Amino acid sequence: MRTDLPRSSETFSATLAALHGAAAELAMHGSAALGTIHRVAGRIKDASAALGLEAAYATADGILHAETADEIRALVARLTEQLNETSDPGREFPVTILVVEDDEPIGQVIGLTLAGPNRTVLVVESAAEAERELASREVSLLMLDLSLPDGDGRDLLIQVRGTDNSRHIPIVVATAYADRTTHAECFALGADSVLTKPIDPMVLESVVAAKLEAAANARRDRGEDALTGLPNRAAFFEALGRARAAGSAEGKPLSVAIIDLDHFKHVNDRHGHTAGDAVLQASARRIRGALRISDFVARYGGEEFCAFFSNTDVSGAVIALQTVLAQLRAERFSGNDGVTFGITFSAGVAPIHDDVTPEQALAEADRLLYLAKAAGRNRVCSAIEASNLPRPAALLVEDDDAVAAVVSALLDRDGLDVSRYAEAKPALSAMEQRAFSIAIVDLGLPDMSGLELLACIRRLPRIKPLPVLMLTGSGAENDIVDAFALGVNDYVTKPFLARELRARVCRLIA
């Protein structure tokens, strides 16, 4: 694939803007406008072929062979509809354009020109206002006048390019100065484009769309997750290392969290993977949008996100995530089957101290996430919340004292109230008298086999739904087949990995 082609169906905005502008000028600038239409339509045709967009490919090809202006304009309108239908709004992150312009009528015209779906245009009149907006929100593109009531726009340009959080923002300078020296200086100071006033709206839209597209591609190249647009795991650890060093030097608190969408497999299985992608994208937007610009959120993998909170203790991070959870809880999604549904998440939050590595803090956050899931999901859990959570009851049927001690300690550490029995019959009696969240059963027991105990559980109506995990030294095919035939929910062989057992227990009880 040619490297200069759009990488996805969402990045045609700049080419479509140019195509619409040229189509509108066909009457006045016939041959020149037609040349522009052919070049731009050819690029869209190539990109559509690379992306597998057959309908858009056919329409772009039709534009290349159209003979009248009316036919061209109709095909351009159709092509725009096709590309907009192909683009999934859930995949397209909202962008914020900050316009610094002290002439109110010009600011209004720029705002109307750049407004569109998933775009927020903020117009401010001074450098001071611009600085406040840049500090308080994530800005996707800065449009900057040079003559401002409180200073020279070039000073703001230097400031933005010298700040870590904003150095990658595309900057378009709009100025009444037409001399080459001023334009050259702006480029030298870091401007991405310089436009001379009065600015043609078509040119303005095309330049801004192209800069937003280039910035989106650059973000992906810098280590962003392709689906959600968030940083990926590698970028997260790199940023966390810098934040930890800065926090340690300044004596400021730092907290870390792991966030897991609840029952996400059910979303994919019942509503389709397209709906699952939409949930991931909306969750990423919601989490990122609700946190401060100094906080950092990344996709950890699958349906998990990770975040760190600079200059924030654990209680502050918990409050921030509870706010996000309340917002996400109120959102509704629609599956391929037309059924609407909601989504929640569970999260674990832990502090990072000087004597704790990021990996250790994340492991603690993961443990607390496990407790949040075990307590019913849909909650944020720190060590303080964990102490107040109800402890799920686990029944362990294991005749080996050493194995029982290890498993009991592991589950107790993770917040489960473990009742251990060495024989099957007393364990069965206990199940009939007390509600358990899970039963972990050995295969070889003194009074009856684990398979016989499993069969009894599945015959008794009151305890039949109880999740059962077989934990045994037997990896024999017949034993595994028989266990699943009798209704076991999971099967783990000894020796086992502690993290794997925890994950399997969590999956069954939450």
Side-chain angles (χ1 to χ4, degrees):
M1 183 190 303
R2 276 172 37 193
T3 56
D4 62 331
L5 296 178
R7 302 185 190 188
S8 73
S9 59
E10 291 92 3
T11 57
F12 285 106
S13 55
T15 47
L16 283 174
L19 192 60
H20 277 280
E25 294 187 347
L26 269 173
M28 291 188 300
H29 309 286
S31 60
L34 187 60
T36 298
I37 289 170
H38 282 178
R39 285 187 291 271
V40 175
R43 185 172 188 268
I44 294 178
K45 177 183 173 181
D46 289 344
S48 298
L51 292 166
L53 306 178
E54 297 180 2
Y57 174 90
T59 303
D61 185 66
I63 292 172
L64 295 175
H65 295 91
E67 297 181 355
T68 67
D70 288 342
E71 187 180 359
I72 289 174
R73 281 190 283 269
L75 289 171
V76 168
R78 184 192 304 171
L79 180 61
T80 302
E81 291 178 1
Q82 290 169 336
L83 293 176
N84 287 338
E85 289 173 358
T86 302
S87 300
D88 180 1
R91 303 179 76 97
E92 191 171 336
F93 265 73
V95 299
T96 298
I97 299 173
L98 178 61
V99 179
V100 191
E101 173 58 67
D102 65 332
D103 188 314
E104 185 176 352
I106 293 178
Q108 289 177 346
V109 170
I110 292 173
L112 290 172
T113 300
L114 299 181
N118 291 307
R119 281 187 185 180
T120 298
V121 182
L122 301 174
V123 182
V124 299
E125 297 183 357
S126 67
E129 290 177 280
E131 289 171 9
R132 286 194 291 271
E133 293 294 344
L134 288 165
S136 63
R137 69 176 70 239
E138 189 170 343
V139 173
S140 309
L141 182 139
L142 174 64
M143 187 167 178
L144 177 63
D145 188 12
L146 297 184
S147 300
L148 299 173
D150 57 348
D152 192 311
R154 283 165 286 200
D155 294 330
L156 181 58
L157 175 56
I158 293 171
Q159 179 181 329
V160 171
R161 284 294 178 247
T163 305
D164 286 341
N165 289 339
S166 59
R167 67 171 66 250
H168 296 297
I169 297 174
I171 300 177
V172 177
V173 170
T175 178
Y177 299 121
D179 60 286
R180 291 181 296 174
T181 301
T182 300
H183 286 216
E185 180 188 2
C186 289
F187 281 117
L189 296 176
D192 295 277
S193 185
V194 181
L195 302 176
T196 304
K197 296 177 180 178
I199 305 170
D200 185 286
M202 184 186 81
V203 173
L204 175 61
E205 168 58 25
S206 295
V207 168
V208 167
K211 298 307 175 185
L212 289 172
E213 177 182 327
N217 291 337
R219 285 198 304 270
R220 284 188 284 270
D221 292 339
R222 291 197 302 268
E224 292 189 0
D225 174 62
L227 179 63
T228 64
L230 291 178
N232 58 23
R233 182 190 292 220
F236 174 80
F237 277 103
E238 181 180 345
L240 180 57
R242 293 195 300 267
R244 182 173 183 249
S248 178
E250 299 173 10
K252 295 180 177 179
L254 178 66
S255 302
V256 67
I258 296 181
I259 304 157
D260 187 274
L261 299 184
D262 295 331
H263 302 297
F264 186 72
K265 184 178 183 300
H266 175 75
V267 172
N268 279 332
D269 291 346
R270 179 173 181 183
H271 302 289
H273 286 276
T274 300
D277 285 353
V279 167
L280 286 169
Q281 292 150 0
S283 301
R285 284 198 308 275
R286 181 67 70 190
I287 296 168
R288 174 63 271 177
L291 300 183
R292 304 168 305 171
I293 195 168
S294 59
D295 301 328
F296 194 99
V297 182
R299 189 178 181 192
Y300 202 54
E303 66 271 26
E304 282 190 331
F305 301 92
C306 50
F308 67 75
F309 303 81
S310 299
N311 194 24
T312 305
D313 60 16
V314 166
S315 61
V318 168
I319 291 171
L321 286 175
Q322 286 174 337
T323 300
V324 179
L325 178 56
Q327 294 175 351
L328 187 63
R329 197 184 286 135
E331 195 154 344
R332 304 302 296 173
F333 301 91
S334 181
N336 296 341
D337 51 5
V339 176
T340 59
F341 62 94
I343 194 74
T344 59
F345 66 70
S346 303
V349 185
I352 298 183
H353 303 299
D354 287 343
D355 57 347
V356 175
T357 67
E359 290 76 15
Q360 290 171 328
L362 282 165
E364 174 63 7
D366 189 47
R367 185 185 75 83
L368 293 165
L369 168 64
Y370 174 92
L371 294 182
K373 287 178 172 290
R377 307 189 187 232
N378 189 20
R379 67 191 68 217
V380 182
C381 182
S382 71
I384 295 174
E385 282 77 23
S387 64
N388 297 319
L389 289 176
R391 288 169 62 91
L395 178 73
L396 175 62
V397 191
E398 171 62 67
D399 64 329
D400 187 309
D401 291 339
V403 173
V406 170
V407 175
S408 296
L410 177 65
L411 299 182
D412 179 74
R413 177 178 176 270
D414 283 339
L416 277 70
D417 181 14
V418 183
S419 297
R420 182 253 174 151
Y421 292 86
E423 296 183 346
K425 292 178 180 178
L428 186 61
S429 176
M431 279 184 268
E432 293 178 309
Q433 297 173 22
R434 180 184 176 187
F436 289 94
S437 298
I438 189 172
I440 302 172
V441 178
D442 190 11
L443 188 63
L445 297 170
D447 53 347
M448 71 169 70
S449 74
L451 293 176
E452 291 175 305
L453 175 58
L454 175 61
C456 291
I457 293 171
R458 294 302 182 232
R459 282 198 302 267
L460 297 173
R462 198 177 74 82
I463 60 175
K464 182 178 180 179
L466 178 67
V468 178
L469 183 148
M470 193 72 72
L471 181 63
T472 174
S474 172
E477 181 179 350
N478 288 342
D479 289 334
I480 297 172
V481 171
D482 290 344
F484 280 102
L486 289 170
V488 77
N489 298 91
D490 208 345
Y491 194 103
V492 178
T493 57
K494 305 172 187 175
F496 57 87
L497 297 174
R499 181 176 174 83
E500 179 187 359
L501 181 62
R502 289 177 55 216
R504 291 174 182 270
V505 170
C506 179
R507 180 181 66 84
L508 292 179
I509 66 177

